[in-house]
Amino acid sequence: MRHIISILLENEAGALSRVAGLFSARGYNITSLTVAATEDPSLSRMTLVTSGSDQVIEQITKQLNKLIEVVKLIDLTEGKHVERELMLIKVAVAEPSVRDEVKRLVDIFRGNVIDVTATAYTIELTGPSDKLEAFIAALADVKILETVRSGVSGIARGGKSLHI
Amino acid sequence: MELSGADILCRSLAEEGVKYLFGYPGGAVLHIYDAIYKQDKVEHILVRHEQAATHAADGYARSTGKTGVVLVTSGPGATNAVTGIATAYMDSIPMVVITGQVPTNMIGNDAFQEVDSVGITRPCVKHNFLVKDVRDLAETIKKAFHIASTGRPGPVLIDIPKDVTADKTEYHYPESVDIRSYHPVSKGHPRQIKHAVEMMLEAKRPVLYTGGGVVLDNASHYLIELAQKLNIPVTNTLMGLGAYPATERQFLGMLGMHGTYEANMSMHHTDLLIAIGARFDDRVTGNIEKFCPDARIIHVDVDPASISKNVSVDVPIVGTVSNVLKEMLLLLKELEQPAEQKEALVEWWKQIDEWRAMDCLKFTQGDEVIKPQYVVQKLWEITQGDAFVTSDVGQHQMFAAQYYKFDKPRRWINSGGLGTMGFGLPAAMGVQLAHPDETVACITGEGSIQMNIQELSTCLQYSLPIKVISLNNRYLGMVRQWQEFFYQSRYSMSYMDALPDFSALAESYGHVGMRIEKPADVEGALIEAMALKDRLVFMDFVTDQTENVYPMIPAGAGLNEMILV
């Protein structure tokens, strides 16, 4: 099953490679990983999407907690949460009919065209990962030139928060 | 007063009560070696290879419970130390390793003797640090010792660039440190402990399966009290030997791949497995699917990640072994052991005694060839079971574990998790330095000893009267055994050809060498060697080439499916 693990870790050189190294050394999956500093510059927030049986996920959270630089973590998928991912996608739109079709799709998916040339549109789209995938599927015959995804960021719903 | 980084390091180590620093100099640590020269609080022991420095510090730590300390230079100094760091990591040994590094302005430039020591060691340390500013040095050292020795212990590496050891700052060694992300649990959960105790009083066929955690936490006396109060049989892992007295009635011997018949059969038939400071290693469980089919499992461990990793357990208790056992004993003071259980245990012991009667460790010593088991047994008799015994890795290690009956913890020093050949001799140096008046024996083989034989020179320099017991069968015995069993006796590369004359070799290093070829000479030679109190004696025992370690659980089999002979 897919899990989103959200981690507060010390904003120090090497902390990221400790997490990445743990996953490769123990053979755990990483679907996506994003990390950046928080409002407290001494802390980074990492969102990690992984998959595995309950037993594997339990081991992953325990092993992460063992890393000295991991301050706190939660498995967001255990409760109600919101997840978002940003995608920048560049498509070929030399034909006017394709241009119209792409613009319509972008509107339906509530994205934005953020760069336009005679031959290509660059589209910005935000949402849960499955929405981004649905958009890619909807493009069907449109030629995709480039796809850039940020990986998932997640946060718990309601007043609950991950802080120290 | 302002001090250089090198002086701060020496002063900090002295503050931590470090007596011995095991190391080897080089370019990046020259400032540090100069500072060592000018002080007399910490004694530096010069090894002949950095791997040996880590093993010696490791042996020191295992035999004393104190943190072992290592100092090596950058680049090859650090890479040579990696095997010893990984060895300590696998067996949860507290160790602080200081590596020199190229100056900060050259890091990343492929400078001479540069290697990313923090990167290379990351997967095999509990934590590591790169100190980029001399003002952080003292606090980092404090943190390193704190992390290495608390929770589940382990090695911590501090990488110090050369310029940082020359830079000066105000010296202040912190009294304590608080690391906001590091607070290991020490007290077990009271409700879980109560639940565990209730289960212990209900079980009909309980077994205590205990590991290195009991030794590391100095909890042996609690284990003995618990086991004897409830009359529960005890088996120890390879790492746990000595935590329960081996000559005591309730001890079943070691369990696992080369464990005793009674220990493994008891595991297979138990209805309550009480695992304490053990981690369900694959060499212990055999085939996980067939492991303890009838048992509910209680697992006490200081490391939450060790619980339900390989085997899912019914009652997990996270806490230090001594705290949890102390709480259990307190609860048991108020509870009466039910008569039913006492009766059930009589039956259980009857069954265990039947398994014991198989006498699975019996062997016959003839007149012609020396049996390796016989040498270990005689060593045990002659040293009255009271020696510190280090070992290397292979058949001799298993014979040592099976035939030297350890009655006290911290006497059996071996590389259990990583299985590092070359560990025994340097580890024995650390043990002997920590216990100058005790007998320290290194049980080894002609394969393992050659992996760090250069340390015979260190032993001479520091007058370490180690007794090296080499069981020389002219084979990499354990490899040969597996090839015999599972590769139709195709002995690929397991034959040790072109061996030196070990006795002469030891003599050339300034020690006493002996070569023993006949069974009748074994006892006399051991007595003679032990009498040479102030000399290292290298005893080259020419042993049976075809001897195998039994019992043995082949890969994929359950604990009840042992090969007995």
Side-chain angles (χ1 to χ4, degrees):
Chain A
M1 212 185 106
R2 179 174 176 268
H3 288 255
I4 304 174
I5 297 171
S6 206
I7 306 163
L8 273 183
L9 74 167
E10 298 289 351
N11 189 5
E12 279 169 10
L16 170 63
S17 46
R18 263 183 240 282
V19 174
L22 171 71
F23 274 70
S24 66
R26 295 192 180 263
Y28 305 141
N29 296 313
I30 298 184
T31 312
S32 78
L33 184 157
T34 72
V35 59
T38 63
E39 77 285 359
D40 173 352
S42 73
L43 286 172
S44 292
R45 173 79 174 242
M46 178 185 280
T47 310
L48 205 151
V49 180
T50 182
S51 58
S53 63
D54 288 353
Q55 199 216 345
V56 169
I57 299 297
E58 185 185 331
Q59 261 301 305
I60 290 177
T61 55
K62 283 174 169 178
Q63 293 291 349
L64 283 168
N65 265 317
K66 260 176 87 168
L67 297 177
I68 308 288
E69 281 150 346
V70 168
V71 182
K72 233 175 190 181
L73 68 83
I74 51 164
D75 182 348
L76 286 176
T77 24
E78 279 181 354
K80 290 192 170 146
H81 65 282
V82 190
E83 59 171 287
R84 287 291 179 273
E85 189 176 357
L86 170 71
M87 174 164 71
L88 301 176
I89 184 163
K90 191 177 283 183
V91 293
V93 289
E95 306 279 324
S97 60
V98 176
R99 222 174 260 261
D100 293 345
E101 172 62 13
V102 168
K103 183 71 180 79
R104 244 194 325 273
L105 280 173
V106 169
D107 289 342
I108 292 168
F109 278 84
R110 288 188 217 126
N112 296 306
V113 178
I114 56 170
D115 187 53
V116 177
T117 68
T119 53
Y121 275 1
T122 300
I123 301 148
E124 169 196 57
L125 191 64
T126 309
S129 307
D130 51 0
K131 175 182 160 184
L132 307 188
E133 272 139 35
F135 180 75
I136 293 173
L139 286 172
D141 295 338
V142 179
K143 187 170 167 55
I144 297 172
L145 300 172
E146 218 177 326
T147 310
V148 185
R149 293 172 67 161
S150 65
V152 172
S153 286
I155 197 161
R157 281 189 186 274
K160 212 168 103 183
S161 69
L162 182 63
H163 61 91
I164 53 168
Chain B
M1 195 184 65
E2 293 212 322
L3 292 181
S4 72
D7 288 324
I8 289 174
L9 174 63
C10 290
R11 293 273 287 263
S12 303
L13 294 180
E15 288 275 355
E16 285 293 335
V18 175
K19 198 167 173 208
Y20 295 111
L21 179 56
F22 299 90
Y24 202 97
V29 285
L30 279 171
H31 295 319
I32 299 174
Y33 273 84
D34 194 47
I36 289 171
Y37 190 87
K38 292 186 280 193
Q39 56 86 53
D40 58 2
K41 295 268 192 310
V42 182
E43 187 182 347
H44 183 279
I45 304 296
L46 177 68
V47 294
R48 299 298 183 266
H49 185 288
E50 289 89 348
Q51 182 190 348
T54 51
H55 293 329
D58 185 324
Y60 180 85
R62 289 181 204 237
S63 67
T64 60
K66 295 178 190 153
T67 302
V69 189
V70 177
L71 170 63
V72 296
T73 193
S74 64
T79 55
N80 278 345
V82 169
T83 301
I85 296 171
T87 303
Y89 182 66
M90 286 290 270
D91 291 342
S92 310
I93 305 304
M95 184 186 286
V96 170
V97 180
I98 293 140
T99 49
Q101 184 54 279
V102 301
T104 42
N105 66 337
M106 291 170 81
I107 289 178
N109 282 356
D110 304 320
F112 176 64
Q113 293 196 328
E114 179 183 0
V115 76
D116 176 9
S117 303
V118 164
I120 281 185
T121 58
R122 195 175 288 128
C124 61
V125 292
K126 186 169 171 188
H127 196 58
N128 56 19
F129 298 94
L130 170 65
V131 183
K132 284 185 164 166
D133 188 327
V134 71
R135 287 169 297 181
D136 298 334
L137 184 58
E139 193 183 349
T140 304
I141 295 167
K142 184 82 203 175
K143 280 183 182 171
F145 276 88
H146 174 62
I147 292 170
S149 59
T150 52
R152 179 176 178 177
V156 177
L157 180 137
I158 311 174
D159 199 24
I160 314 178
K162 190 170 184 179
D163 54 324
V164 173
T165 61
D167 290 347
K168 290 189 166 180
T169 191
E170 210 51 52
Y171 171 67
H172 162 73
Y173 198 67
E175 285 275 305
S176 62
V177 279
D178 179 49
I179 304 170
R180 65 177 170 181
S181 54
Y182 178 72
H183 297 111
V185 177
S186 74
K187 289 258 177 212
H189 194 288
R191 205 173 56 220
Q192 293 288 78
I193 293 176
K194 186 154 178 278
H195 188 34
V197 166
E198 285 162 5
M199 281 163 77
M200 283 187 215
L201 291 175
E202 280 165 15
K204 305 268 180 289
R205 302 182 306 280
V207 172
L208 276 156
Y209 145 59
T210 80
V214 180
V215 178
L216 289 167
D217 202 35
N218 302 314
S220 188
H221 55 293
Y222 294 124
L223 171 66
I224 295 168
E225 198 181 331
L226 178 72
Q228 296 188 350
K229 190 171 176 71
L230 296 178
N231 190 24
I232 298 178
V234 185
T235 176
N236 285 167
T237 68
L238 179 67
M239 294 310 299
L241 293 174
Y244 194 88
T247 52
E248 211 278 333
R249 176 192 67 93
Q250 279 169 249
F251 190 62
L252 306 180
M254 181 172 74
L255 81 164
M257 182 172 276
H258 295 297
T260 64
Y261 185 69
E262 52 271 33
N264 287 337
M265 291 302 277
S266 304
M267 291 289 286
H268 190 77
H269 291 277
T270 182
D271 65 346
L272 180 69
L273 184 64
I274 309 157
I276 300 176
R279 60 184 179 89
F280 296 84
D281 179 86
D282 53 272
R283 285 298 193 263
V284 158
T285 60
N287 187 338
I288 288 276
E289 308 291 320
K290 300 177 183 174
F291 181 70
C292 294
D294 304 328
R296 291 192 295 170
I297 303 177
I298 297 167
H299 189 183
V300 180
D301 205 290
V302 74
D303 176 12
S306 282
I307 296 177
S308 293
K309 182 174 69 177
N310 300 333
V311 172
S312 79
V313 306
D314 301 277
V315 185
I317 304 174
V318 179
T320 64
V321 170
S322 17
N323 278 340
V324 174
L325 291 185
K326 213 172 2 182
E327 292 298 321
M328 285 177 168
L329 287 166
L330 270 178
L331 285 177
L332 282 169
K333 271 209 176 103
E334 292 156 18
L335 296 166
E336 190 71 23
Q337 185 171 24
E340 280 169 56
Q341 184 180 43
K342 284 185 185 160
E343 283 163 32
L345 282 168
V346 171
E347 284 304 303
W348 183 221
W349 275 110
K350 221 168 95 189
Q351 171 65 73
I352 290 171
D353 287 338
E354 273 172 37
W355 290 326
R356 237 180 207 166
M358 289 283 296
D359 197 7
C360 68
L361 295 179
K362 68 171 173 288
F363 66 93
T364 317
Q365 175 61 67
D367 301 335
E368 299 292 315
V369 213
I370 299 172
K371 290 282 185 191
Q373 300 96 319
Y374 178 69
V375 178
V376 178
Q377 197 176 64
K378 282 289 154 199
L379 176 70
W380 174 69
E381 285 172 21
I382 288 162
T383 56
Q384 294 163 332
D386 206 29
F388 285 82
V389 177
T390 73
S391 93
D392 274 298
V393 171
Q395 284 187 325
H396 66 267
Q397 177 188 26
M398 291 301 115
F399 290 134
Q402 290 174 330
Y403 294 90
Y404 198 99
K405 298 182 176 59
F406 295 93
D407 281 336
K408 294 178 193 165
R410 299 197 181 278
R411 300 264 155 164
W412 166 235
I413 315 281
N414 85 128
S415 167
L418 197 68
T420 309
M421 290 172 71
F423 174 82
L425 179 60
M429 302 189 314
V431 177
Q432 187 79 74
L433 280 161
H435 307 276
D437 301 325
E438 304 277 347
T439 301
V440 180
C442 166
I443 299 182
T444 183
E446 82 289 351
S448 285
I449 192 67
Q450 290 191 85
M451 285 210 184
N452 266 325
I453 198 155
Q454 77 285 347
E455 296 308 316
L456 286 174
S457 174
T458 311
C459 293
L460 184 72
Q461 181 173 346
Y462 297 97
S463 310
L464 303 175
I466 296 160
K467 305 297 178 273
V468 179
I469 318 281
S470 180
L471 304 177
N472 180 353
N473 65 349
R474 286 84 69 215
Y475 270 113
L476 298 177
M478 193 58 93
V479 173
R480 193 206 59 81
Q481 178 169 343
W482 281 60
Q483 288 172 335
E484 180 189 327
F485 288 6
F486 309 117
Y487 297 89
Q488 291 78 47
S489 299
R490 289 186 297 277
Y491 297 132
S492 179
M493 301 297 146
S494 54
Y495 180 70
M496 291 298 284
D497 211 350
L499 288 169
D501 175 343
F502 286 104
S503 168
L505 183 66
E507 301 268 354
S508 89
Y509 272 109
H511 302 302
V512 179
M514 292 182 181
R515 185 173 164 92
I516 304 100
E517 295 176 342
K518 293 200 186 71
D521 296 337
V522 170
E523 191 165 357
L526 282 167
I527 290 170
E528 191 187 330
M530 294 305 153
L532 294 167
K533 292 264 180 232
D534 55 351
R535 297 296 296 278
L536 183 147
V537 184
F538 192 114
M539 312 182 75
D540 186 20
F541 289 95
V542 180
T543 60
D544 189 344
Q545 290 201 282
T546 58
E547 192 57 49
N548 289 323
V549 182
Y550 296 112
M552 178 175 181
I553 298 168
L559 292 189
N560 60 334
E561 298 167 310
M562 279 160 279
I563 304 171
L564 285 171
V565 267

